[in-house]
Amino acid sequence: MIETLEEYKKENKVLSRKLKLMEQSLSQFTSIKTNYDVLIKKLEEKDKNLRDINNKLEDLVSERTRELENINKQLEKNLRLLEELSTTDALTNLRNRRSFDEIFAQEFNRAKRQNYEFNFLIIDIDYFKKYNDFYGHRAGDEALKAVGKVLNKFARRANDFVFRYGGEEFVYISCFHDFKEIETLGNAIRKSIYSLEINHEKNPHNFLSVSIGGIVFKDKDLLIEEVFKTADDNLYISKENGRNKVTISI
């Protein structure tokens, strides 16, 4: 209990100091709370910005993925177009069907115009489907390459052309050979391929072999279609006669 004015004043000073300290503490707390609120707000804004950035990145990745897919589709389309326009068979490195269509007509018309022999052979691998089924397509590709190499060795002159016509079928065009020469050539091709001794258990001849049909003509009024049909008919005769045979007509 305060009994004197002096004691009152003294206690009042003490209370005033405590009040001041409390006000300072409250001010500091308020400042801390304000700073905390500001920090939280900034973090929330940053979190929102991060979410926005993440969304933008996802959109960008999706856009780039679509662009890459479109580019890949275009590349595949271009590769197919290049393959169609190319004159070389990718597997055997021989001239391809497209090249054949151009050169066949060119050489055929030249032979008729300049009146010299035109030689045309169709070479077909015997039982090739059975070979593929039994040994696998990779072995089949290797067999096609091997046949292609042999045929390429026989195309020595400027007027000799060898083509992979399609699948297991090849075509040989040359000029100036007479019947006897082209028959000898056909048998040399057949023997060379057979002498590779590529095992073929589904072939009665035990090794990979070819059947050949051809035509040699001069001074004949033939159409291109008739030349191909005659050679194809002779190929059929070679197959009917047991395969691994050569049949050529004049």
Side-chain angles (χ1 to χ4, degrees), residues 92-103:
T92 62
N93 289 323
L94 298 178
R95 289 178 173 86
N96 63 10
R97 171 69 180 272
R98 181 175 181 272
S99 178
F100 167 79
D101 291 337
E102 295 175 359
I103 293 176

Side-chain angles (χ1 to χ4, degrees), residues 104 118-124 169-174 177-187 189 210-217 220 222 226-239 245-250:
F104 182 37
F118 184 78
N119 319 128
F120 183 74
L121 301 177
I122 301 176
I123 302 103
D124 189 85
E169 199 166 68
F170 300 82
V171 171
Y172 181 95
I173 294 174
S174 65
H177 293 297
D178 59 24
F179 175 78
K180 190 63 180 176
E181 289 171 333
I182 204 68
E183 186 178 49
T184 300
L185 176 68
N187 276 298
I189 290 173
V210 296
S211 294
I212 299 175
I215 179 175
V216 177
F217 75 90
K220 281 191 176 182
L222 292 175
E226 292 174 317
V227 173
F228 200 101
K229 183 179 184 305
T230 301
D232 198 47
D233 289 344
N234 286 334
L235 174 64
Y236 179 78
I237 293 171
S238 292
K239 291 183 178 182
K245 297 285 191 304
V246 176
T247 306
I248 299 172
S249 61
I250 300 177

Side-chain angles (χ1 to χ4, degrees), residues 101-116:
D101 291 337
E102 295 175 359
I103 293 176
F104 182 37
Q106 168 190 302
E107 293 300 307
F108 173 80
N109 291 325
R110 181 181 293 151
K112 293 190 72 173
R113 194 167 55 248
Q114 298 181 8
N115 193 31
Y116 54 68

